Amino acid sequence: MSEQLHDLAFVLEKEVGLPASKSRSFASHFAELEEFFNLQAETLRNGISSISGKRALRFTPDEIERILAFISSGKLSLQLTIAENFLASICRDFTGRQLVMVENLTLGKIHPNPFLIRALNLDTPEEVVRLNVYMTATRSIVTSMGFFIQKLLISCSESAESPPGKSGWDAIKTTSDGEKCWIQVKSGPNDMDKDQIVYWAAKIEEKI
């Protein structure tokens, strides 16, 4: 896949809705972003051919419609750099998931705290619901922001990668000298309690 288009697969998966493997294969066929913009419905209906000339990818009518709609949506721009297009796509994915979370909230999911309701003198159902929706949404956004930063770091840096499974770390960055930096991403500077700090101090000491 062209270095310039290594993030097009993410866009095709998250914003067009193609399967991950199909997105990677599809993105690998383009040497320039402009080639993707110039796709025609007939080309997609005939299937994208491999170098050998054999049909490598087929698309359903629904997939073709979604691909063409996305191309004409203006969400990708030739006036932006590849990095800017990719960052915009990650941000749309992040905010979209937060909106879906809020829209799908129900009374059964927010678990109102009766002690907090009394302490804050909330007298009406509207006040109770408003507070709990706000708290649920902000907690979710703060947590998701950490994953957003982690994804951004790994996707935008050739020297960063995901660590081995269940290691507890979020990313590994290799310096120009070959030194590995083990990174734990947090949403902000003030969201760690004493137990977390003691735990991570021990994990850091292990790496040192």
Side-chain angles (χ1 to χ4, degrees):
M1 185 183 303
S2 167
E3 182 179 345
Q4 287 189 324
L5 297 173
H6 73 285
D7 297 320
L8 179 58
F10 176 90
V11 175
L12 292 170
E13 178 186 355
K14 299 298 183 182
E15 302 207 65
V16 180
L18 299 181
S21 59
K22 197 170 196 177
S23 296
R24 290 192 296 270
S25 181
F26 188 25
S28 70
H29 284 78
F30 303 100
E32 300 289 343
L33 187 59
E34 190 171 0
E35 294 178 8
F36 178 70
F37 273 87
N38 291 333
L39 273 176
Q40 301 296 319
E42 187 64 26
T43 302
L44 294 171
R45 282 195 288 268
N46 291 334
I48 301 296
S49 299
S50 62
I51 296 176
S52 64
K54 296 180 180 179
R55 181 177 293 173
L57 281 175
R58 295 184 180 182
F59 300 96
T60 66
D62 179 61
E63 288 174 336
I64 293 173
E65 184 177 339
R66 283 187 277 125
I67 291 169
L68 296 175
F70 179 73
I71 290 173
S72 61
S73 69
K75 291 181 178 179
L76 287 182
S77 172
L78 291 174
Q79 279 67 54
L80 298 177
T81 66
I82 296 298
E84 289 170 336
N85 273 310
F86 180 54
L87 180 60
S89 179
I90 292 181
C91 291
R92 287 192 296 269
D93 177 60
F94 173 75
T95 54
R97 284 185 284 108
Q98 304 316 309
L99 288 172
V100 170
M101 179 275 298
V102 172
E103 290 170 352
N104 290 332
L105 279 179
T106 64
L107 289 176
K109 293 179 180 178
I110 61 178
H111 305 295
N113 183 334
F115 301 108
L116 184 60
I117 292 172
R118 178 48 54 205
L120 295 177
N121 295 318
L122 303 180
D123 297 322
T124 67
E126 180 182 354
E127 291 175 334
V128 173
V129 170
R130 183 180 295 275
L131 172 69
N132 282 273
V133 169
Y134 174 79
M135 291 193 303
T136 302
T138 52
R139 278 198 303 269
S140 174
I141 291 172
V142 167
T143 300
S144 298
M145 188 63 186
F147 290 117
F148 170 78
I149 295 172
Q150 176 184 340
K151 181 186 296 181
L152 193 63
L153 172 63
I154 294 173
S155 300
C156 295
S157 173
E158 294 181 0
S159 60
E161 59 183 326
S162 297
K166 298 183 179 179
S167 68
W169 298 90
D170 293 327
I172 304 173
K173 182 173 177 62
T174 304
T175 68
S176 58
D177 297 329
E179 181 181 1
K180 291 188 178 296
C181 303
W182 294 74
I183 300 171
Q184 164 69 196
V185 179
K186 306 303 293 181
S187 301
N190 60 344
D191 61 345
M192 294 179 68
D193 56 33
K194 177 183 175 181
D195 290 341
Q196 288 178 303
I197 293 173
V198 169
Y199 170 80
W200 281 108
K203 295 282 283 184
I204 292 170
E205 185 65 27
E206 288 176 10
K207 291 301 177 186
I208 294 176

